[in-house]
Amino acid sequence: MRADAKRNFDRIVEVAGATFRSKGYDAPLDDIAKQAGVGPGTLYRHFPTREALIDAVMQNWIASVNESAEKALAHEGDARDRLMAWFEEYAARLTVHKGVAAKITAALGDATSPMANKCQTYSTANAKVIDSLRSEGAVRPNVEALEVLRLIGGIASVADQGNLPPEAVRPMLEVVADGVLR
Amino acid sequence: MRADAKRNFDRIVEVAGATFRSKGYDAPLDDIAKQAGVGPGTLYRHFPTREALIDAVMQNWIASVNESAEKALAHEGDARDRLMAWFEEYAARLTVHKGVAAKITAALGDATSPMANKCQTYSTANAKVIDSLRSEGAVRPNVEALEVLRLIGGIASVADQGNLPPEAVRPMLEVVADGVLR
DNA sequence: TTGCTAAACGGAGACAGTCTCCGTATCGTT
DNA sequence: AACGATACGGAGACTGTCTCCGTTTAGCAA
């Protein structure tokens, strides 16, 4: 990739992120192009569809928070406390960007999605938490790690779309925690 | 409302429902108008926004299934069986139309939404199930009926968006059931 | 029936956003 | 410096949204 191309690519993603957050995910792409100081042609060459651009923005964001994903693993307390800490951490991350929860959760099971491998960190972090609790015998048999990820994703999606405050989300997470633990 | 107006209104909703299902929720509205044998002006007079038309389609659908919502209440078996029967019934209904799960679940807490009162039947059916189980002492304290509705809605949304098969949904419902029951 | 009026219709066309095509400019290499 | 490959950008075609207003029709009253 040529240097000027990369410059434009990055600039577009940056501007798009800011614009999507402030004006919504249906903001005119030509505006974003103009804002980024490029022609529409350049934007569409890099991102053939709106979807592609949104993906790029999100991947950018996931990468930026990924590094700290393991924080929740080092929590103090009993099994339930640790599980809840992880749930809240995960749900909070998912609700930072409008729409991200649904998108990531849908991508989880689909290996062909460009999102999926970006979410590896989440998947493995989750598996680690569940496995560690399982080895203590705290987890019900038949509970799969992927299911848990999806359940929390579902809660985050609902919270996202209904603009639910954290105090409405917490009890839902607790129901899932009780369902996961013996 | 004049007779011809009502005729057109109903015809538009009918055509829109079929079109949305076959071509997706972003199908051109002018096409729907043409298909319904009316001009775009007529469509837009009845439904100023796409959202309004989608709502009308969904309300139409909710009304059509509402009447049978209590079926799941008359289930045989122990507390867990009955709860699971209700969960599956509800989740199945929510996933009939693409996008309906997220929409209805988001509307649940919001009394101002035109969806909300259409969903009364669901809310009260759910409350009935939970209350009846609670009176048997089978439900954990602190579990609210609305939370349960949202949890199932979240699962349905995820299933909807990720095209999950029923066998992937069931275990998630079971986790919630275990979290709801003592 | 006929006439009348308010209600409703419908389609031409303005507008906005998407996306492409291709002549021009720039990069990076030799 | 010169050249090919790569990338740029913006004019404009295209598609879908939505409005305006002249025309039509339903429903009522005489």
Side-chain angles (χ1 to χ4, degrees), chain A residues 70-88:
Chain A
E70 310 220 343
K71 191 178 84 186
L73 291 175
H75 203 80
E76 303 274 309
D78 66 8
R80 198 169 183 286
D81 286 345
R82 272 176 291 149
L83 190 59
M84 279 300 293
W86 164 241
F87 282 0
E88 297 203 326

Side-chain angles (χ1 to χ4, degrees), chain B residues 38-137:
Chain B
V38 304
T42 300
L43 187 151
Y44 282 98
R45 197 169 338 96
H46 286 307
F47 310 99
T49 65
R50 175 184 297 275
E51 200 63 11
L53 181 53
I54 294 176
D55 277 5
V57 168
M58 287 189 176
Q59 289 187 16
N60 207 36
W61 166 76
I62 291 170
S64 81
V65 293
N66 243 351
E67 55 202 27
S68 66
E70 309 220 346
K71 191 180 82 187
L73 291 175
H75 203 80
E76 305 274 308
D78 66 9
R80 199 169 182 288
D81 285 346
R82 270 176 292 148
L83 189 60
M84 279 300 294
W86 164 241
F87 282 179
E88 297 203 327
E89 172 79 15
Y90 184 59
R93 284 181 190 289
L94 283 185
T95 35
V96 168
H97 267 57
K98 193 96 182 163
V100 91
K103 216 169 249 295
I104 288 183
T105 306
L108 280 177
D110 171 19
T112 69
S113 160
M115 291 268 107
N117 55 56
K118 288 280 178 178
C119 301
Q120 270 310 333
T121 314
Y122 284 152
S123 298
T124 54
N126 179 64
K128 237 184 249 182
V129 176
I130 302 297
D131 286 350
S132 119
L133 292 173
R134 199 192 296 281
S135 72
E136 296 173 25

Side-chain angles (χ1 to χ4, degrees), chain A residues 20-167:
Chain A
F20 286 154
R21 250 161 287 165
S22 64
K23 307 204 175 160
Y25 283 89
D26 53 354
L29 297 188
D30 281 20
D31 282 4
I32 291 174
K34 187 177 292 181
Q35 184 88 12
V38 303
T42 300
L43 188 151
Y44 282 97
R45 197 169 337 97
H46 286 307
F47 310 100
T49 64
R50 175 183 296 275
E51 200 62 12
L53 181 53
I54 294 176
D55 277 4
V57 168
M58 286 189 176
Q59 290 187 15
N60 207 35
W61 165 75
I62 291 170
S64 81
V65 293
N66 243 350
E67 56 201 26
S68 66
E70 310 220 343
K71 191 178 84 186
L73 291 175
H75 203 80
E76 303 274 309
D78 66 8
R80 198 169 183 286
D81 286 345
R82 272 176 291 149
L83 190 59
M84 279 300 293
W86 164 241
F87 282 0
E88 297 203 326
E89 172 80 14
Y90 184 58
R93 285 181 189 287
L94 283 186
T95 35
V96 169
H97 268 55
K98 192 96 182 163
V100 90
K103 216 168 252 294
I104 288 182
T105 306
L108 279 178
D110 171 18
T112 69
S113 160
M115 291 268 106
N117 55 56
K118 287 281 179 180
C119 300
Q120 270 310 333
T121 313
Y122 285 152
S123 298
T124 55
N126 179 64
K128 238 183 251 183
V129 176
I130 302 298
D131 285 350
S132 119
L133 292 173
R134 200 191 295 281
S135 72
E136 296 172 25
V139 179
R140 295 179 198 249
N142 305 327
V143 172
E144 297 293 337
L146 179 57
E147 285 159 32
V148 175
L149 222 42
R150 283 189 177 136
L151 279 161
I152 307 305
I155 293 173
S157 302
V158 167
D160 189 23
Q161 289 181 316
N163 289 316
L164 301 185
E167 61 266 27

